[in-house]
PDB file of all heavy atoms in Angstrom:
ATOM      1  N   ALA A 105       9.665 117.062-183.270  1.00  0.00           N
ATOM      2  CA  ALA A 105      10.577 116.667-184.527  1.00  0.00           C
ATOM      3  C   ALA A 105       9.886 117.129-185.797  1.00  0.00           C
ATOM      4  O   ALA A 105      10.422 117.017-186.915  1.00  0.00           O
ATOM      5  CB  ALA A 105      10.801 115.231-184.465  1.00  0.00           C
ATOM      6  N   GLY A 106       8.723 117.550-185.657  1.00  0.00           N
ATOM      7  CA  GLY A 106       7.928 118.079-186.929  1.00  0.00           C
ATOM      8  C   GLY A 106       7.570 116.978-187.878  1.00  0.00           C
ATOM      9  O   GLY A 106       7.556 117.080-189.064  1.00  0.00           O
ATOM     10  N   VAL A 107       7.260 115.807-187.257  1.00  0.00           N
ATOM     11  CA  VAL A 107       6.750 114.751-188.129  1.00  0.00           C
ATOM     12  C   VAL A 107       5.507 114.135-187.468  1.00  0.00           C
ATOM     13  O   VAL A 107       4.994 114.656-186.458  1.00  0.00           O
ATOM     14  CB  VAL A 107       7.919 113.651-188.209  1.00  0.00           C
ATOM     15  CG1 VAL A 107       9.016 114.091-188.961  1.00  0.00           C
ATOM     16  CG2 VAL A 107       8.200 113.066-186.880  1.00  0.00           C
ATOM     17  N   SER A 108       4.961 113.078-188.092  1.00  0.00           N
ATOM     18  CA  SER A 108       3.717 112.514-187.495  1.00  0.00           C
ATOM     19  C   SER A 108       4.054 111.392-186.465  1.00  0.00           C
ATOM     20  O   SER A 108       5.209 110.946-186.460  1.00  0.00           O
ATOM     21  CB  SER A 108       2.882 111.910-188.608  1.00  0.00           C
ATOM     22  OG  SER A 108       3.519 110.609-188.957  1.00  0.00           O
ATOM     23  N   ARG A 109       3.108 111.039-185.759  1.00  0.00           N
ATOM     24  CA  ARG A 109       3.389 109.995-184.744  1.00  0.00           C
ATOM     25  C   ARG A 109       3.821 108.732-185.362  1.00  0.00           C
ATOM     26  O   ARG A 109       4.702 108.065-184.841  1.00  0.00           O
ATOM     27  CB  ARG A 109       2.011 109.733-183.971  1.00  0.00           C
ATOM     28  CG  ARG A 109       1.858 110.699-182.821  1.00  0.00           C
ATOM     29  CD  ARG A 109       0.400 110.716-182.417  1.00  0.00           C
ATOM     30  NE  ARG A 109      -0.290 109.528-182.616  1.00  0.00           N
ATOM     31  CZ  ARG A 109      -1.644 109.432-182.638  1.00  0.00           C
ATOM     32  NH1 ARG A 109      -2.376 110.503-182.405  1.00  0.00           N
ATOM     33  NH2 ARG A 109      -2.219 108.273-182.912  1.00  0.00           N
ATOM     34  N   ALA A 110       3.237 108.367-186.444  1.00  0.00           N
ATOM     35  CA  ALA A 110       3.703 107.096-187.147  1.00  0.00           C
ATOM     36  C   ALA A 110       5.084 107.114-187.526  1.00  0.00           C
ATOM     37  O   ALA A 110       5.832 106.142-187.284  1.00  0.00           O
ATOM     38  CB  ALA A 110       2.790 106.959-188.347  1.00  0.00           C
ATOM     39  N   THR A 111       5.550 108.295-187.992  1.00  0.00           N
ATOM     40  CA  THR A 111       7.017 108.324-188.344  1.00  0.00           C
ATOM     41  C   THR A 111       7.885 108.104-187.219  1.00  0.00           C
ATOM     42  O   THR A 111       8.851 107.416-187.256  1.00  0.00           O
ATOM     43  CB  THR A 111       7.282 109.720-188.966  1.00  0.00           C
ATOM     44  OG1 THR A 111       6.373 109.961-190.060  1.00  0.00           O
ATOM     45  CG2 THR A 111       8.674 109.814-189.520  1.00  0.00           C
ATOM     46  N   VAL A 112       7.473 108.712-186.062  1.00  0.00           N
ATOM     47  CA  VAL A 112       8.209 108.426-184.858  1.00  0.00           C
ATOM     48  C   VAL A 112       8.229 106.891-184.496  1.00  0.00           C
ATOM     49  O   VAL A 112       9.306 106.402-184.180  1.00  0.00           O
ATOM     50  CB  VAL A 112       7.626 109.299-183.658  1.00  0.00           C
ATOM     51  CG1 VAL A 112       8.376 108.913-182.364  1.00  0.00           C
ATOM     52  CG2 VAL A 112       7.722 110.692-183.935  1.00  0.00           C
ATOM     53  N   SER A 113       7.121 106.359-184.533  1.00  0.00           N
ATOM     54  CA  SER A 113       6.978 104.935-184.187  1.00  0.00           C
ATOM     55  C   SER A 113       7.981 104.085-185.103  1.00  0.00           C
ATOM     56  O   SER A 113       8.787 103.330-184.608  1.00  0.00           O
ATOM     57  CB  SER A 113       5.604 104.500-184.416  1.00  0.00           C
ATOM     58  OG  SER A 113       5.469 103.120-184.187  1.00  0.00           O
ATOM     59  N   TYR A 114       7.847 104.362-186.442  1.00  0.00           N
ATOM     60  CA  TYR A 114       8.702 103.558-187.334  1.00  0.00           C
ATOM     61  C   TYR A 114      10.170 103.901-187.051  1.00  0.00           C
ATOM     62  O   TYR A 114      10.983 103.008-186.973  1.00  0.00           O
ATOM     63  CB  TYR A 114       8.430 104.018-188.721  1.00  0.00           C
ATOM     64  CG  TYR A 114       7.025 103.511-189.284  1.00  0.00           C
ATOM     65  CD1 TYR A 114       6.201 104.404-189.983  1.00  0.00           C
ATOM     66  CD2 TYR A 114       6.689 102.230-189.005  1.00  0.00           C
ATOM     67  CE1 TYR A 114       4.916 103.956-190.340  1.00  0.00           C
ATOM     68  CE2 TYR A 114       5.444 101.788-189.513  1.00  0.00           C
ATOM     69  CZ  TYR A 114       4.523 102.665-190.180  1.00  0.00           C
ATOM     70  OH  TYR A 114       3.357 102.215-190.632  1.00  0.00           O
ATOM     71  N   ALA A 115      10.462 105.130-186.891  1.00  0.00           N
ATOM     72  CA  ALA A 115      11.960 105.534-186.700  1.00  0.00           C
ATOM     73  C   ALA A 115      12.478 104.863-185.511  1.00  0.00           C
ATOM     74  O   ALA A 115      13.606 104.330-185.504  1.00  0.00           O
ATOM     75  CB  ALA A 115      12.011 107.058-186.609  1.00  0.00           C
ATOM     76  N   LEU A 116      11.767 104.934-184.429  1.00  0.00           N
ATOM     77  CA  LEU A 116      12.282 104.431-183.142  1.00  0.00           C
ATOM     78  C   LEU A 116      12.430 102.915-183.164  1.00  0.00           C
ATOM     79  O   LEU A 116      13.280 102.331-182.449  1.00  0.00           O
ATOM     80  CB  LEU A 116      11.389 104.837-181.939  1.00  0.00           C
ATOM     81  CG  LEU A 116      11.502 106.347-181.689  1.00  0.00           C
ATOM     82  CD1 LEU A 116      10.657 106.702-180.463  1.00  0.00           C
ATOM     83  CD2 LEU A 116      12.906 106.828-181.502  1.00  0.00           C
ATOM     84  N   ARG A 117      11.693 102.259-183.929  1.00  0.00           N
ATOM     85  CA  ARG A 117      11.732 100.808-183.923  1.00  0.00           C
ATOM     86  C   ARG A 117      12.641 100.349-185.152  1.00  0.00           C
ATOM     87  O   ARG A 117      12.726  99.133-185.443  1.00  0.00           O
ATOM     88  CB  ARG A 117      10.373 100.248-184.037  1.00  0.00           C
ATOM     89  CG  ARG A 117       9.531 100.631-182.858  1.00  0.00           C
ATOM     90  CD  ARG A 117       8.125 100.507-182.901  1.00  0.00           C
ATOM     91  NE  ARG A 117       7.610  99.219-182.600  1.00  0.00           N
ATOM     92  CZ  ARG A 117       7.424  98.242-183.409  1.00  0.00           C
ATOM     93  NH1 ARG A 117       7.783  98.408-184.699  1.00  0.00           N
ATOM     94  NH2 ARG A 117       7.008  97.027-183.001  1.00  0.00           N
ATOM     95  N   GLY A 118      13.219 101.307-185.753  1.00  0.00           N
ATOM     96  CA  GLY A 118      14.250 100.944-186.852  1.00  0.00           C
ATOM     97  C   GLY A 118      13.671 100.479-188.164  1.00  0.00           C
ATOM     98  O   GLY A 118      14.287  99.725-188.822  1.00  0.00           O
ATOM     99  N   ASP A 119      12.507 100.819-188.388  1.00  0.00           N
ATOM    100  CA  ASP A 119      11.863 100.462-189.678  1.00  0.00           C
ATOM    101  C   ASP A 119      12.734 101.141-190.796  1.00  0.00           C
ATOM    102  O   ASP A 119      12.936 102.309-190.828  1.00  0.00           O
ATOM    103  CB  ASP A 119      10.397 100.896-189.710  1.00  0.00           C
ATOM    104  CG  ASP A 119       9.653 100.254-190.888  1.00  0.00           C
ATOM    105  OD1 ASP A 119      10.050 100.522-192.053  1.00  0.00           O
ATOM    106  OD2 ASP A 119       8.656  99.522-190.649  1.00  0.00           O
ATOM    107  N   PRO A 120      13.027 100.259-191.789  1.00  0.00           N
ATOM    108  CA  PRO A 120      13.943 100.780-192.871  1.00  0.00           C
ATOM    109  C   PRO A 120      13.295 101.815-193.784  1.00  0.00           C
ATOM    110  O   PRO A 120      13.968 102.470-194.596  1.00  0.00           O
ATOM    111  CB  PRO A 120      14.290  99.482-193.595  1.00  0.00           C
ATOM    112  CG  PRO A 120      13.233  98.473-193.316  1.00  0.00           C
ATOM    113  CD  PRO A 120      12.786  98.899-192.011  1.00  0.00           C
ATOM    114  N   ARG A 121      11.989 101.956-193.703  1.00  0.00           N
ATOM    115  CA  ARG A 121      11.447 102.859-194.624  1.00  0.00           C
ATOM    116  C   ARG A 121      11.556 104.272-194.307  1.00  0.00           C
ATOM    117  O   ARG A 121      11.309 105.247-195.076  1.00  0.00           O
ATOM    118  CB  ARG A 121       9.869 102.543-194.796  1.00  0.00           C
ATOM    119  CG  ARG A 121       9.106 103.089-193.671  1.00  0.00           C
ATOM    120  CD  ARG A 121       7.626 102.764-193.839  1.00  0.00           C
ATOM    121  NE  ARG A 121       7.313 101.489-193.257  1.00  0.00           N
ATOM    122  CZ  ARG A 121       6.145 100.942-193.140  1.00  0.00           C
ATOM    123  NH1 ARG A 121       5.135 101.515-193.782  1.00  0.00           N
ATOM    124  NH2 ARG A 121       5.879  99.827-192.529  1.00  0.00           N
ATOM    125  N   ILE A 122      12.089 104.536-193.051  1.00  0.00           N
ATOM    126  CA  ILE A 122      12.406 105.952-192.681  1.00  0.00           C
ATOM    127  C   ILE A 122      13.889 106.239-192.987  1.00  0.00           C
ATOM    128  O   ILE A 122      14.749 105.386-192.693  1.00  0.00           O
ATOM    129  CB  ILE A 122      12.171 106.129-191.187  1.00  0.00           C
ATOM    130  CG1 ILE A 122      10.796 105.652-190.772  1.00  0.00           C
ATOM    131  CG2 ILE A 122      12.461 107.558-190.745  1.00  0.00           C
ATOM    132  CD1 ILE A 122       9.666 106.526-191.302  1.00  0.00           C
ATOM    133  N   THR A 123      14.164 107.309-193.652  1.00  0.00           N
ATOM    134  CA  THR A 123      15.539 107.696-193.984  1.00  0.00           C
ATOM    135  C   THR A 123      16.373 107.765-192.678  1.00  0.00           C
ATOM    136  O   THR A 123      15.859 108.250-191.711  1.00  0.00           O
ATOM    137  CB  THR A 123      15.680 109.000-194.728  1.00  0.00           C
ATOM    138  OG1 THR A 123      14.795 109.864-194.201  1.00  0.00           O
ATOM    139  CG2 THR A 123      15.410 108.876-196.300  1.00  0.00           C
ATOM    140  N   GLU A 124      17.606 107.416-192.838  1.00  0.00           N
ATOM    141  CA  GLU A 124      18.464 107.438-191.638  1.00  0.00           C
ATOM    142  C   GLU A 124      18.601 108.877-191.040  1.00  0.00           C
ATOM    143  O   GLU A 124      18.616 108.993-189.928  1.00  0.00           O
ATOM    144  CB  GLU A 124      19.841 106.910-192.051  1.00  0.00           C
ATOM    145  CG  GLU A 124      20.857 106.908-190.955  1.00  0.00           C
ATOM    146  CD  GLU A 124      20.408 106.339-189.656  1.00  0.00           C
ATOM    147  OE1 GLU A 124      19.520 105.399-189.698  1.00  0.00           O
ATOM    148  OE2 GLU A 124      20.796 106.856-188.540  1.00  0.00           O
ATOM    149  N   SER A 125      18.586 109.820-191.910  1.00  0.00           N
ATOM    150  CA  SER A 125      18.721 111.216-191.386  1.00  0.00           C
ATOM    151  C   SER A 125      17.501 111.614-190.528  1.00  0.00           C
ATOM    152  O   SER A 125      17.559 112.090-189.429  1.00  0.00           O
ATOM    153  CB  SER A 125      18.970 112.254-192.525  1.00  0.00           C
ATOM    154  OG  SER A 125      17.783 112.316-193.319  1.00  0.00           O
ATOM    155  N   THR A 126      16.299 111.291-191.037  1.00  0.00           N
ATOM    156  CA  THR A 126      15.080 111.630-190.287  1.00  0.00           C
ATOM    157  C   THR A 126      15.128 110.739-189.046  1.00  0.00           C
ATOM    158  O   THR A 126      14.847 111.281-187.930  1.00  0.00           O
ATOM    159  CB  THR A 126      13.864 111.173-191.056  1.00  0.00           C
ATOM    160  OG1 THR A 126      14.044 111.549-192.469  1.00  0.00           O
ATOM    161  CG2 THR A 126      12.610 111.723-190.453  1.00  0.00           C
ATOM    162  N   ALA A 127      15.450 109.462-189.103  1.00  0.00           N
ATOM    163  CA  ALA A 127      15.405 108.619-187.948  1.00  0.00           C
ATOM    164  C   ALA A 127      16.261 109.076-186.865  1.00  0.00           C
ATOM    165  O   ALA A 127      15.938 109.107-185.746  1.00  0.00           O
ATOM    166  CB  ALA A 127      15.780 107.208-188.370  1.00  0.00           C
ATOM    167  N   SER A 128      17.544 109.553-187.265  1.00  0.00           N
ATOM    168  CA  SER A 128      18.521 109.883-186.243  1.00  0.00           C
ATOM    169  C   SER A 128      18.080 111.246-185.578  1.00  0.00           C
ATOM    170  O   SER A 128      18.193 111.451-184.371  1.00  0.00           O
ATOM    171  CB  SER A 128      19.893 109.976-186.796  1.00  0.00           C
ATOM    172  OG  SER A 128      20.093 111.253-187.430  1.00  0.00           O
ATOM    173  N   ARG A 129      17.396 112.068-186.397  1.00  0.00           N
ATOM    174  CA  ARG A 129      16.991 113.311-185.781  1.00  0.00           C
ATOM    175  C   ARG A 129      15.852 113.028-184.750  1.00  0.00           C
ATOM    176  O   ARG A 129      15.828 113.507-183.635  1.00  0.00           O
ATOM    177  CB  ARG A 129      16.365 114.239-186.874  1.00  0.00           C
ATOM    178  CG  ARG A 129      16.133 115.625-186.388  1.00  0.00           C
ATOM    179  CD  ARG A 129      15.590 116.566-187.402  1.00  0.00           C
ATOM    180  NE  ARG A 129      14.127 116.472-187.572  1.00  0.00           N
ATOM    181  CZ  ARG A 129      13.517 115.967-188.664  1.00  0.00           C
ATOM    182  NH1 ARG A 129      14.239 115.635-189.700  1.00  0.00           N
ATOM    183  NH2 ARG A 129      12.212 115.991-188.740  1.00  0.00           N
ATOM    184  N   ILE A 130      14.961 112.077-185.054  1.00  0.00           N
ATOM    185  CA  ILE A 130      13.915 111.688-184.237  1.00  0.00           C
ATOM    186  C   ILE A 130      14.427 111.073-182.938  1.00  0.00           C
ATOM    187  O   ILE A 130      13.992 111.313-181.842  1.00  0.00           O
ATOM    188  CB  ILE A 130      12.920 110.763-184.902  1.00  0.00           C
ATOM    189  CG1 ILE A 130      12.171 111.530-185.997  1.00  0.00           C
ATOM    190  CG2 ILE A 130      11.940 110.080-183.936  1.00  0.00           C
ATOM    191  CD1 ILE A 130      11.307 110.678-186.905  1.00  0.00           C
ATOM    192  N   ARG A 131      15.446 110.189-183.127  1.00  0.00           N
ATOM    193  CA  ARG A 131      16.040 109.575-181.955  1.00  0.00           C
ATOM    194  C   ARG A 131      16.602 110.621-181.036  1.00  0.00           C
ATOM    195  O   ARG A 131      16.518 110.531-179.804  1.00  0.00           O
ATOM    196  CB  ARG A 131      17.111 108.541-182.365  1.00  0.00           C
ATOM    197  CG  ARG A 131      16.620 107.224-182.816  1.00  0.00           C
ATOM    198  CD  ARG A 131      17.689 106.151-182.836  1.00  0.00           C
ATOM    199  NE  ARG A 131      18.743 106.559-183.816  1.00  0.00           N
ATOM    200  CZ  ARG A 131      18.765 106.211-185.111  1.00  0.00           C
ATOM    201  NH1 ARG A 131      17.779 105.507-185.637  1.00  0.00           N
ATOM    202  NH2 ARG A 131      19.790 106.582-185.828  1.00  0.00           N
ATOM    203  N   GLN A 132      17.252 111.594-181.656  1.00  0.00           N
ATOM    204  CA  GLN A 132      17.863 112.662-180.798  1.00  0.00           C
ATOM    205  C   GLN A 132      16.739 113.430-180.082  1.00  0.00           C
ATOM    206  O   GLN A 132      16.956 113.695-178.808  1.00  0.00           O
ATOM    207  CB  GLN A 132      18.500 113.682-181.748  1.00  0.00           C
ATOM    208  CG  GLN A 132      19.286 114.740-181.092  1.00  0.00           C
ATOM    209  CD  GLN A 132      20.316 114.130-180.102  1.00  0.00           C
ATOM    210  OE1 GLN A 132      21.181 113.318-180.526  1.00  0.00           O
ATOM    211  NE2 GLN A 132      20.303 114.551-178.810  1.00  0.00           N
ATOM    212  N   VAL A 133      15.742 113.778-180.744  1.00  0.00           N
ATOM    213  CA  VAL A 133      14.597 114.544-180.090  1.00  0.00           C
ATOM    214  C   VAL A 133      14.056 113.613-178.980  1.00  0.00           C
ATOM    215  O   VAL A 133      13.755 114.137-177.781  1.00  0.00           O
ATOM    216  CB  VAL A 133      13.495 114.829-181.132  1.00  0.00           C
ATOM    217  CG1 VAL A 133      12.295 115.412-180.370  1.00  0.00           C
ATOM    218  CG2 VAL A 133      13.976 115.869-182.073  1.00  0.00           C
TER     219      VAL A 133
END
Side-chain angles (χ1 to χ4, degrees):
Chain A
V107 296
S108 77
R109 277 163 24 198
T111 307
V112 174
S113 175
Y114 291 133
L116 293 182
R117 300 159 88 268
D119 191 300
R121 79 181 91 177
I122 306 293
T123 39
E124 179 46 33
S125 67
T126 319
S128 82
R129 195 180 80 245
I130 290 174
R131 279 194 300 270
Q132 185 58 53
V133 171

